[in-house]
Amino acid sequence: MKCPRCQNTDPAWFYPGSKGWYCRRCISFGRILIEEERNPVPVEEIREGSEEYLLRYPLTPAQKVVSDACVSHIFSTDVLLECVCGAGKTEMTVASIAAFLKLKKKVCFAIARRQVVLEVAERLGQYFPNARVVPVCQGFTTITDGDLIVCTTHQLYRYYQTFDLLILDEPDAFPFRGDPVLHGIAASACIGHIIYLTATPDDYLKQGVKEGKIQKFVLSVRPHGKPIPVPVVRLGPLFLLFPELFFWLRKHTSHPRIVFVPTIAGAEVMGRILSVFFTPCKVVTSKSENRDVLIETFRKEQKGIMVATTVLERGVTIPHADVCVFEADHGVYDEAGLVQMAGRAGRDFKDPTGDVLFLCRKRSDLCEACKTSLEEANKACVV
């Protein structure tokens, strides 16, 4: 038996219900019978001229090389764009999206985290002014069809055998990473090929490249050509890390500052402490009900402090931001997450340097690995 939705073939997950066998592994998406025949989702025809696009800034020569390579390969194989944080991965997929839309083929841009969906949908809507760019995520499920769908990976369950091109942004991020259900649903939604976008490919992607199933293209330089900020690591007991943090925050008052904290409870406590000495000070976690509003306000104000958990580590660009990871040696972090958090800094053309600080209680191999990874990427960077 094989689940037609999540691709599961493990007999332990199948259960004989009153109407037939069904898969319990993806039961959270609704019960589906194994014998039930699933038909491709009916979709609207792609409107004329939807493929016409206009980028706010032309691609750099390095971006153009990767973009052209992606277009030339994506019709025959899956593609991995392994590009550093802030390299413009979304912009490098635009030509591929246009090529599929021109052929009246269905395209989806899927993202692991909800808060990035609306931002990416807005950007793609600006790039493709004649296309119906539809965001589909929690709170935005009234309209689910258009020329170009931007959705969370969870929402892919709606689109059985629908997309000729599926773009998976940050597939190594939680909750998509390591979730066999979401991997299976993504495979069921795509009838063509997949573009994977990430700065930190996981073992699944590395193995696919090694086996020749995925074609990889690498870009280790941001559009402004400046090196990626490499974190400065400070070690000490907790009672000394706080003065170090306060000194760093005072030093960077002219910039918005993001302070990453490993736990939700820790973020709340840190927010209360810092708000006594610094204003404005906002806290963003997975439990923040007005998370999108807080992030957008912080982005527009370009000042103050944002205390955040890993919910803010990917996909969000805050111009001029400096970054501190408090307790960077905490077990909740991994190398990929640290690279992504450091990658929030130095993304702006007007302020491409940025500053990153890792505060640790003890020496961390992961922090050192993060530094090494960024230093290696900078070797290919032209200043």
Side-chain angles (χ1 to χ4, degrees):
M1 288 187 289
K2 182 178 182 179
C3 177
R5 178 165 57 202
C6 73
Q7 309 290 294
N8 169 53
T9 57
D10 185 349
W13 286 105
F14 296 120
Y15 183 81
S18 59
K19 296 183 179 180
W21 289 84
Y22 65 90
C23 178
R24 293 181 297 174
R25 194 174 75 166
C26 59
I27 192 67
S28 61
F29 293 90
R31 182 176 301 187
I32 181 171
L33 298 178
I34 303 306
E35 299 85 356
E36 182 179 332
E37 183 176 349
R38 298 193 75 193
N39 297 315
V41 176
V43 294
E44 300 176 9
E45 184 178 348
I46 307 297
R47 71 170 64 175
E48 290 291 337
S50 62
E51 76 279 5
E52 297 175 7
Y53 67 90
L54 178 65
L55 294 174
R56 289 176 292 182
Y57 304 100
L59 296 179
T60 65
Q63 287 177 318
K64 186 71 164 52
V65 169
V66 174
S67 174
D68 290 347
C70 186
V71 174
S72 65
H73 285 80
I74 191 56
F75 284 95
S76 58
T77 185
D78 292 347
V79 171
L80 166 63
L81 301 189
E82 183 181 338
C83 308
V84 295
C85 300
K89 292 185 285 292
T90 302
E91 287 69 21
M92 285 183 279
T93 66
V94 166
S96 295
I97 294 172
F100 276 79
L101 292 179
K102 187 175 182 179
L103 296 174
K104 307 300 182 187
K105 294 181 177 293
K106 210 71 174 180
V107 180
C108 176
F109 199 112
I111 304 164
R113 297 185 175 180
R114 174 192 178 277
Q115 63 269 22
V116 187
V117 168
L118 301 180
E119 179 183 340
V120 171
E122 182 179 358
R123 286 165 61 192
L124 290 175
Q126 294 171 355
Y127 298 158
F128 292 93
N130 298 327
R132 295 164 296 183
V133 180
V134 178
V136 182
C137 59
Q138 183 182 8
F140 291 84
T141 56
T142 303
I143 302 174
T144 59
D145 194 13
D147 301 319
L148 172 57
I149 306 299
V150 184
C151 69
T152 56
T153 50
H154 279 84
Q155 295 292 337
L156 287 173
Y157 83 93
R158 298 175 180 273
Y159 301 100
Y160 178 70
Q161 294 188 354
T162 300
F163 300 115
D164 301 282
L165 172 62
L166 175 61
I167 302 169
L168 282 176
D169 191 26
E170 308 289 6
D172 57 305
F174 176 85
F176 188 81
R177 179 185 62 193
D179 188 326
V181 173
L182 293 180
H183 275 263
I185 289 175
S188 296
C190 183
I191 56 176
H193 292 288
I194 300 176
I195 299 176
Y196 299 96
L197 308 177
T198 183
T200 51
D202 58 15
D203 291 340
Y204 173 82
L205 294 175
K206 292 177 182 178
Q207 187 64 28
V209 172
K210 185 177 180 180
E211 295 175 355
K213 298 177 182 178
I214 303 174
Q215 180 70 47
K216 181 175 77 170
F217 301 102
V218 179
L219 182 59
S220 298
V221 59
R222 289 172 167 178
H224 52 56
K226 302 299 181 182
I228 306 165
V230 177
V232 173
V233 180
R234 294 281 186 262
L235 306 179
L238 191 60
F239 72 90
L240 290 181
L241 295 186
F242 276 99
E244 189 82 34
L245 173 61
F246 274 62
F247 176 78
W248 183 85
L249 291 171
R250 292 288 186 192
K251 182 181 177 182
H252 297 87
T253 52
S254 61
H255 288 179
R257 290 141 291 170
I258 305 174
V259 180
F260 286 101
V261 180
T263 66
I264 294 175
E268 297 292 345
V269 172
M270 180 69 77
R272 287 194 293 269
I273 294 173
L274 295 183
S275 63
V276 176
F277 304 93
F278 302 93
T279 56
C281 180
K282 300 175 174 64
V283 177
V284 172
T285 72
S286 59
K287 291 186 177 181
S288 301
E289 295 182 359
N290 56 341
R291 184 167 61 235
D292 296 332
V293 175
L294 288 172
I295 294 172
E296 187 58 30
T297 301
F298 186 62
R299 181 187 289 113
K300 290 181 178 178
E301 290 179 346
Q302 296 191 17
K303 63 180 181 180
I305 299 170
M306 176 75 80
V307 179
T309 56
T310 54
V311 72
L312 211 65
E313 76 178 26
R314 298 170 184 258
V316 178
T317 297
I318 306 296
H320 312 290
D322 293 316
V323 173
C324 174
V325 183
F326 194 79
E327 292 189 283
D329 56 322
H330 194 282
V332 76
Y333 297 133
D334 57 16
E335 181 187 346
L338 292 172
V339 169
Q340 292 288 345
M341 286 182 280
R344 299 309 99 198
R347 300 167 72 95
D348 194 85
F349 272 84
K350 297 179 181 178
D351 187 18
T353 54
D355 192 75
V356 181
L357 174 66
F358 284 179
L359 294 176
C360 307
R361 297 197 197 193
K362 60 183 183 299
R363 185 184 179 281
S364 168
D365 290 339
L366 290 178
C367 290
E368 294 302 319
C370 171
K371 287 184 60 177
T372 300
S373 175
L374 295 177
E375 289 167 349
E376 289 293 326
N378 284 337
K379 290 181 180 179
C381 182
V382 179
V383 181

